[in-house]
Amino acid sequence: MEHEESHRFPRKKRRTRLCLIMGLCAVLSLVVIFAIYLGVVHSHVLSSYSPSSENLKKTIIDKCEAFIQNNKSSSANNCQKIWSAFEQAFVGRDPCNVPMEAYDPLMHTVIQDPVCNRMLFWSKTKKIVHDFTEKRDCFLTLEDTLVGFIMNGLTWCGKEKSNETFTTGCPGWTDCVNNTVRSFWNRASAAFADAACGDVTAMLNGSIATPFSPTSIFATIEVKRFKAAKIKSLSVVLVTKENKGTTCDDPSLQDLQKEIDPKLKYNCKAVPESKIQDCISHPDTACGACW
Ligand code: N1C
């Protein structure tokens, strides 16, 4: 009995030790796997937020190539050349001192045919406009052109005495007038308005006090460039909330009418947002029936 006990006890001890080692191994493996996972996530986070010119370059070239792939009419463009023309506008410059003319070489590098009668301008209606154009081919905004598509949603800037490109820590839209991003949109919008032809549409926001906002790009750049020799008419679609808010008689819209060449036909229509939403959810509705 004594002998049996002394024999059984060490075997139990050995088993316990084995279990302990196996448990330790399992915990260690888990720690290693977790550490690797953390490393991957961390390096990914770092690489997408650090001031790396390589990242922005890759994003821009990838978006450029994807656009050309989906829009065969843009195939004459060279994405590498577009990147070079783009970066020379702001690299090494104070990010608050980039005039819109700095993007002239970029705009001259991009090859883009105007699409008469389908150009859609907007102000303070970005979301609904793009929800709409995403579903329809009848209208094109600046973001549906190569340069607008590439830069939409991106932030970038340079720094004096540095050849780096930054994607964080850049001045905001209203921090300074000549900031890197705002000057780009001013310049690209100017080119888009210069190319406008035929019947032009503008979607404005009827839920705000001044739908034709005097500080907007639409008012300060685009409308000023509309040429009666090329444009037949300007149709304003005033997006309203259940017929509330501003109407086509709004003083700011009268200012818009005064601003354009009298040879250019002007009309305005207040359209409830729900009607446009209906068109977004029923893509088979003819565009002409949307407002
Ligand atoms: O100042 P806005 O509008 O009147 O500018 C809109 C006007 C449109 O007709 C476009 O052609 O100017 C052009 N445009 C863009 O295409 C664009 N895409 C993204 C102007 N701004 C653009 N953005 C961003 O929207 C930009 O970075 C800034 O934050 C807003 C300006 O929109 P807004 O004041 O509603």
Side-chain angles (χ1 to χ4, degrees):
M1 182 75 181
E2 224 175 273
H3 176 77
E4 229 181 88
E5 277 290 301
S6 67
H7 184 76
R8 254 172 46 196
F9 195 52
R11 217 199 287 161
K12 205 173 166 191
K13 229 173 160 184
R14 240 184 289 144
R15 220 182 294 145
T16 319
R17 212 184 300 147
L18 201 75
C19 282
L20 250 167
I21 291 170
M22 275 169 63
L24 218 72
C25 280
V27 170
L28 257 167
S29 327
L30 275 175
V31 168
V32 169
I33 291 169
F34 188 62
I36 292 173
Y37 167 77
L38 268 186
V40 169
V41 169
H42 187 65
S43 74
H44 180 74
V45 167
L46 267 187
S47 67
S48 52
Y49 290 109
S50 66
S52 147
S53 56
E54 277 312 303
N55 280 331
L56 185 69
K57 181 177 178 180
K58 189 177 178 322
T59 305
I60 287 183
I61 293 191
D62 284 356
K63 282 180 94 175
C64 176
E65 279 167 358
F67 185 91
I68 293 172
Q69 197 68 38
N70 290 322
N71 298 268
K72 296 289 180 222
S73 59
S74 305
S75 58
N77 284 286
N78 177 328
C79 295
Q80 195 65 49
K81 273 195 187 158
I82 288 177
W83 164 258
S84 304
F86 170 69
E87 66 165 353
Q88 69 77 48
F90 64 92
V91 170
R93 284 200 189 211
D94 170 354
C96 271
N97 196 11
V98 176
M100 62 186 267
E101 294 74 24
Y103 291 98
D104 284 355
L106 170 67
M107 299 316 292
H108 294 140
T109 304
V110 177
I111 304 159
Q112 181 80 50
D113 290 334
V115 195
C116 296
N117 306 320
R118 287 167 60 203
M119 291 168 90
L120 178 57
F121 293 83
W122 53 269
S123 191
K124 321 289 176 205
T125 49
K126 190 175 183 193
K127 169 108 177 56
I128 193 157
V129 162
H130 294 114
D131 284 352
F132 182 78
T133 54
E134 216 172 82
K135 297 266 158 51
R136 309 300 182 111
D137 282 339
C138 39
F139 290 104
L140 282 176
T141 64
L142 175 54
E143 293 74 17
D144 302 305
T145 68
L146 177 58
V147 86
F149 173 81
I150 298 175
M151 306 310 171
N152 196 23
L154 301 183
T155 301
W156 66 91
C157 64
K159 200 162 94 181
E160 260 181 316
K161 300 188 190 78
S162 158
N163 56 9
E164 264 188 297
T165 302
F166 299 85
T167 51
T168 53
C170 299
W173 189 257
T174 51
D175 286 346
C176 43
V177 179
N178 281 333
N179 71 68
T180 327
V181 175
R182 189 166 171 169
S183 290
F184 164 78
W185 287 109
N186 282 339
R187 184 60 186 89
S189 304
F192 191 58
D194 283 342
C197 45
D199 297 316
V200 163
T201 307
M203 217 184 251
L204 305 181
N205 191 336
S207 303
I208 56 174
T210 329
F212 181 57
S213 159
T215 55
S216 65
I217 294 187
F218 181 63
T220 57
I221 307 268
E222 294 176 326
V223 168
K224 291 192 172 7
R225 297 202 175 223
F226 285 166
K227 295 175 195 72
K230 294 207 301 180
I231 303 177
K232 259 194 353 216
S233 69
L234 170 66
S235 301
V236 170
V237 174
L238 186 65
V239 187
T240 59
K241 285 222 159 67
E242 308 318 321
N243 288 320
K244 280 201 302 252
T246 43
T247 64
C248 283
D249 300 327
D250 183 76
S252 87
L253 294 175
Q254 289 171 19
D255 291 343
L256 166 59
Q257 212 174 338
K258 276 184 232 143
E259 183 92 37
I260 57 171
D261 192 312
K263 288 199 280 297
L264 211 152
K265 249 175 63 193
Y266 170 88
N267 62 75
C268 172
K269 191 172 179 188
V271 181
E273 192 182 317
S274 55
K275 194 166 178 196
I276 299 172
Q277 290 295 359
D278 267 359
C279 267
I280 294 170
S281 10
H282 300 102
D284 299 332
T285 319
C287 286
C290 291
W291 48 76

